[in-house]
Amino acid sequence: MSAADATAGAAARAKVPATAWISWVALAMMTTSSVASLRAAPTMAVYGLACVFLYLLPAVVFLLPTSLVSAELASGWEGGIYKWVSEGISKPMGFLAVWCQFAMTIFYYPSLLGFVASTLAYVFNPELASSGVWTAAVIIVVYWSGVWISSRGTKGVAGLASGGLIIGTLIPGVVLVLLGMVFLGQGNPSAAPMTAENIFPVWAGLSSLVLIVNNFLSYSGMEMNAVHVSSLKNPGKEFPKSMFLAMGLVLAIFILPALAISWIVPAEELSLTAGVMQAFDAVFANFGWQWLTPIVGIMLVTASLGGMLTWLAGPSKGLLLISRQEGYLPPFLQRLNKNGVQQNILVVQGLVTTVIGLAYALIPDVSSAYWIFSVITTQVYLIMYLLMFVAAIQLRRKHPDHPRGYRAPMLVGMCGVGFAASLAALLVGFIPPSQFASGNSGVYFLIVGGGALGLGLLVPFLFYRFRKPSWRQPEPQEVTSS
């Protein structure tokens, strides 16, 4: 080989970018920031000490299988949930999976913004936290503002969301737990008993376990971070360490603030949407620091809005890619604006979100509306997880020698546990919780069943049934590169 050839070869090799390795600790922090939140704390605080058990149970049967199974899939097949399910089961099921990943956001954002509305109320007037009209107005205004920002192709919102782990989760959570401990240390009695007899929840029929369903959604999203498994130097050893560290951090963020709230706010006075701010307001009042309540409220709102902006266009972009390739959606919904953003999908999603937001003004109890939409969100997302666990087993059987950066131990067993837990949570979600005992269980079933099954199964079936070959579109560079 000539010197010129050697020089050219060296130059070519020099242009190849080095792999951007990340540490397993960094991956654990990324996972924690995308999963952990204080928003779910009031939901479990009503159980007092039993919330520890109610958080650990879904962590073992759902969080762990989801994390390790998705790691194997992500390290062997690029393209996310659609690629995994379409190759493991079929393309129609792949579309159903990616649709559920998108559709769950239709109910997720109203529930998230319901929390934002109640939190923001403590910045202006705490009495607004129980106002359905206020909650509806905040949901509609903030959501459409997010659509406008996303449609402009705004960059940098991911930084706001990642900073939200510290600003809106860790700092307020640590402050709440520390002041709660001081509150007890001053001799104040705990609002919830903290004795060994209260470790397990009191059995009151199936309705007493329904609140566990919300914890499955609290742990969801681990499959999104599994795409980074190829960036670890030793995935086989480092990824499990990363996931176990993330699980520990997530459990601490979920459990400790929930316990602190149960110390300060009696369960019968707890609002599922405003419980965090109720706790902060109560403990600050004990120390004469109530002027800090609005500041904490702004911190919590900032973190929630950052997360909303980051994820607003993400699932819809995945749906757009698949629809352009296979013609699942009509051309109107595939159209892009001048910034390469799927604006029409966001607008249609916004119209549905507006209708859901108005329901807050029509349902007398804001906590009931918040809970119902949270359950529907979980139901739709669980359909995707059921498909993921089946696809993982099928891919291991069909392609045992396919290269994988990470192989999950006892894959079939973990998929079996994860599938059974997801199915049980999905079925239990149709049962009204004990807080709705005085309401009409038939109406509850129709609302949850209609929302989950209609949006999660009927709508994608209709799109698939009436798809046309002419709906297929070439992939634009803006979408491909995102």
Side-chain angles (χ1 to χ4, degrees):
M1 182 175 61
S2 66
D5 291 338
T7 302
R13 288 191 297 272
K15 294 180 181 179
V16 177
T19 301
W21 301 111
I22 60 175
S23 69
W24 64 271
V25 175
L27 181 57
M29 295 302 294
M30 291 168 58
T31 303
T32 304
S33 65
S34 63
V35 175
S37 170
L38 296 179
R39 186 165 62 95
T43 305
M44 286 296 109
V46 298
Y47 282 101
L49 186 61
C51 74
V52 177
F53 169 79
L54 297 176
Y55 268 121
L56 289 176
L57 179 61
V60 173
V61 301
F62 180 77
L63 176 60
L64 183 61
T66 298
S67 303
L68 300 185
V69 170
S70 61
E72 172 167 330
L73 295 174
S75 67
W77 291 268
E78 296 182 357
I81 189 67
Y82 175 78
K83 185 73 170 180
W84 307 340
V85 177
S86 62
E87 289 202 8
I89 306 176
S90 66
K91 283 190 174 183
M93 291 295 100
F95 173 65
L96 175 60
V98 77
W99 169 265
C100 288
Q101 193 177 55
F102 160 75
M104 80 89 171
T105 63
I106 296 177
F107 288 97
Y108 171 73
Y109 290 118
S111 63
L112 170 66
L113 295 179
F115 167 78
V116 169
S118 61
T119 303
L120 202 58
Y122 277 79
V123 179
F124 302 106
N125 181 3
E127 294 183 1
L128 292 173
S130 59
S131 170
V133 174
W134 162 262
T135 304
V138 171
I139 289 174
I140 294 171
V141 171
V142 174
Y143 185 87
W144 281 106
S145 298
V147 170
W148 179 76
I149 293 173
S150 297
S151 67
R152 295 173 63 85
T154 303
K155 306 296 182 182
V157 294
L160 175 62
S162 60
L165 174 66
I166 298 175
I167 298 173
T169 301
L170 290 181
I171 294 178
V174 170
V175 169
L176 181 61
V177 172
L178 290 179
L179 292 184
M181 295 172 66
V182 173
F183 176 83
L184 295 179
Q186 290 180 332
N188 296 298
S190 171
M194 294 286 125
T195 61
E197 291 78 12
N198 303 108
I199 294 178
F200 298 102
V202 177
W203 178 255
L206 288 176
S207 61
S208 63
L209 296 179
V210 173
L211 285 175
I212 301 177
V213 172
N214 204 41
N215 286 355
F216 281 74
L217 183 64
S218 298
Y219 291 136
S220 64
M222 301 294 281
E223 79 282 354
M224 298 179 186
N225 293 283
V227 299
H228 300 293
V229 69
S230 59
S231 297
L232 298 172
K233 289 186 177 180
N234 189 348
K237 293 183 178 180
E238 293 182 338
F239 190 82
K241 291 165 60 177
S242 174
M243 288 301 100
F244 281 116
L245 175 59
M247 282 180 60
L249 292 173
V250 168
L251 287 172
I253 292 172
F254 281 149
I255 292 174
L256 296 181
L259 283 176
I261 292 174
S262 70
W263 298 336
I264 302 166
V265 185
E268 61 272 12
E269 300 177 8
L270 192 62
S271 164
L272 297 185
T273 53
V276 175
M277 294 308 300
Q278 281 181 325
F280 275 113
D281 196 51
V283 75
F284 286 152
N286 182 70
F287 294 96
W289 298 345
Q290 280 184 292
W291 58 273
L292 286 174
T293 301
I295 297 176
V296 171
I298 293 174
M299 294 170 68
L300 294 173
V301 167
T302 300
S304 297
L305 294 182
M308 187 198 79
L309 288 175
T310 301
W311 295 105
L312 183 60
S316 62
K317 187 167 292 185
L319 179 65
L320 174 72
L321 276 170
I322 304 309
S323 299
R324 295 180 74 92
Q325 294 171 6
E326 304 293 340
Y328 289 136
L329 297 181
F332 172 78
L333 293 177
Q334 299 183 30
R335 203 167 299 158
L336 305 176
N337 65 8
K338 62 180 181 180
N339 297 311
V341 176
Q342 58 282 9
Q343 182 172 293
N344 287 0
I345 291 182
L346 296 179
V347 169
V348 173
Q349 184 180 7
L351 293 175
V352 177
T353 301
T354 299
V355 173
I356 297 173
L358 291 175
Y360 275 90
L362 301 176
I363 298 178
D365 186 358
V366 173
S367 287
S368 296
Y370 173 82
W371 174 252
I372 288 173
F373 292 136
S374 295
V375 171
I376 293 175
T377 301
T378 305
Q379 303 294 77
V380 173
Y381 212 4
L382 286 172
I383 295 174
M384 185 210 74
Y385 282 113
L386 291 174
L387 294 171
M388 187 188 79
F389 287 124
V390 173
I393 295 177
Q394 290 294 94
L395 287 172
R396 178 71 75 90
R397 290 175 176 173
K398 292 179 180 178
H399 309 286
D401 299 323
H402 184 88
R404 298 164 170 82
Y406 171 77
R407 296 181 71 90
M410 300 182 294
L411 178 75
V412 175
M414 279 201 298
C415 286
V417 171
F419 184 92
S422 300
L423 181 60
L426 191 150
L427 295 177
V428 169
F430 291 106
I431 304 172
S434 54
Q435 285 85 340
F436 293 88
S438 59
N440 189 319
S441 58
V443 173
Y444 179 90
F445 178 85
L446 289 177
I447 294 176
V448 174
L453 300 180
L455 182 64
L457 296 176
L458 179 60
V459 174
F461 170 77
L462 293 176
F463 275 127
Y464 183 81
R465 174 66 177 80
F466 295 105
R467 73 192 187 285
K468 297 179 181 179
S470 60
W471 289 358
R472 295 180 180 177
Q473 303 285 335
E475 295 182 20
Q477 184 61 34
E478 292 86 355
V479 177
T480 304
S481 61
S482 61

